[in-house]
Amino acid sequence: MSIQTVVPARAAWSAVIRAGESLTITDLHGNQAVDFLVYDAHDTSVRYSAPDTVHAQGSIFLTTGSVLLSNEHTPLMTVTADEVGRHDTVGGACSKESNTLRYGHHTWSQHACVDNFLAEGARHGLGKRDLVSNINWYMNVPVEKDGTLGIVDGLSAPGRKLTLRAERDVLVLVSNCPQINNPCNGFDPTAVAMTVTGAAG
């Protein structure tokens, strides 16, 4: 049995994914970044750790076979299928502060991923101290030889999917990125779909 939810452009979404269930994220229109955090559903102090995950994978990019590790170095979710091939772990979530710094003070009032994470996380008792470095599914952030990061046109296309299997009961927070000042969403944020599928019997 599957349950699909279409997350509108710029909106947030959350769900508890039970151990063995799968979450499929579909980039409905292409070139849409999906900011993502994951916590142990029963103890949210155990949450996604970018350093643990990057160190264990030996890569700053995620794809099929990548295991999202917690701050206790335990598995939270595993990427079981990926039609894009490379996803970002270092670009972070846009915020009013970073928008102002990068793009000018006139962007201060623009909605940002940190706003989404705070509003959606509050529904589950989470606050600003619970926000950690996030994953950006579909976002293309190459690292240049001098160590600088770029945010460039995405590698995705309409309908491309990735699927994650929950290795324990997890709480997933998503911000369907509202950024309009760089190419991560093609300057035009669009809807994505979240599909939760029951564990294989």
Side-chain angles (χ1 to χ4, degrees):
M1 178 177 152
S2 295
I3 299 173
Q4 184 177 87
T5 304
V6 174
V7 183
R10 302 179 175 87
W13 177 87
S14 62
V16 172
I17 315 296
R18 301 296 177 190
E21 293 182 339
S22 290
L23 171 65
T24 298
I25 305 173
T26 305
D27 186 2
L28 295 173
H29 302 281
N31 211 14
Q32 175 60 38
V34 178
D35 289 44
F36 183 96
L37 288 170
V38 58
Y39 304 79
D40 184 309
H42 305 290
D43 180 3
T44 56
S45 69
V46 179
R47 70 276 303 266
Y48 170 71
S49 168
D52 287 83
T53 300
V54 167
H55 180 262
Q57 310 311 307
S59 172
I60 62 170
F61 302 114
L62 302 177
T63 188
T64 306
S66 297
V67 181
L68 310 186
L69 294 179
S70 76
N71 52 330
E72 295 186 344
H73 210 75
T74 51
L76 296 169
M77 303 186 87
T78 300
V79 182
T80 57
D82 175 19
E83 296 179 351
V84 174
R86 194 177 81 184
H87 303 268
D88 169 61
T89 62
V90 296
C94 59
S95 67
K96 292 181 184 299
E97 293 80 7
S98 65
N99 281 345
T100 301
L101 182 65
R102 291 174 177 164
Y103 310 115
H105 193 73
H106 67 282
T107 65
W108 173 259
S109 63
Q110 293 176 2
H111 195 57
C113 284
V114 169
D115 301 322
N116 276 342
F117 280 145
L118 288 173
E120 196 66 21
R123 300 179 54 225
H124 303 279
L126 301 174
K128 198 159 192 176
R129 289 174 182 264
D130 298 300
L131 299 190
V132 293
S133 296
N134 60 287
I135 296 165
N136 294 306
W137 300 117
Y138 301 109
M139 190 163 153
N140 189 13
V141 184
V143 180
E144 309 299 339
K145 287 184 178 179
D146 65 0
T148 59
L149 303 181
I151 298 176
V152 298
D153 283 340
L155 305 172
S156 188
R160 289 200 178 170
K161 302 176 181 179
L162 69 94
T163 300
L164 302 118
R165 181 184 64 239
E167 303 301 346
R168 62 174 80 184
D169 294 352
V170 293
L171 168 64
V172 169
L173 296 186
V174 162
S175 171
N176 191 19
C177 184
Q179 182 61 257
I180 58 173
N181 301 291
N182 69 49
C184 72
N185 301 320
F187 301 101
D188 182 23
T190 53
V192 297
M194 303 287 161
T195 306
V196 179
T197 306

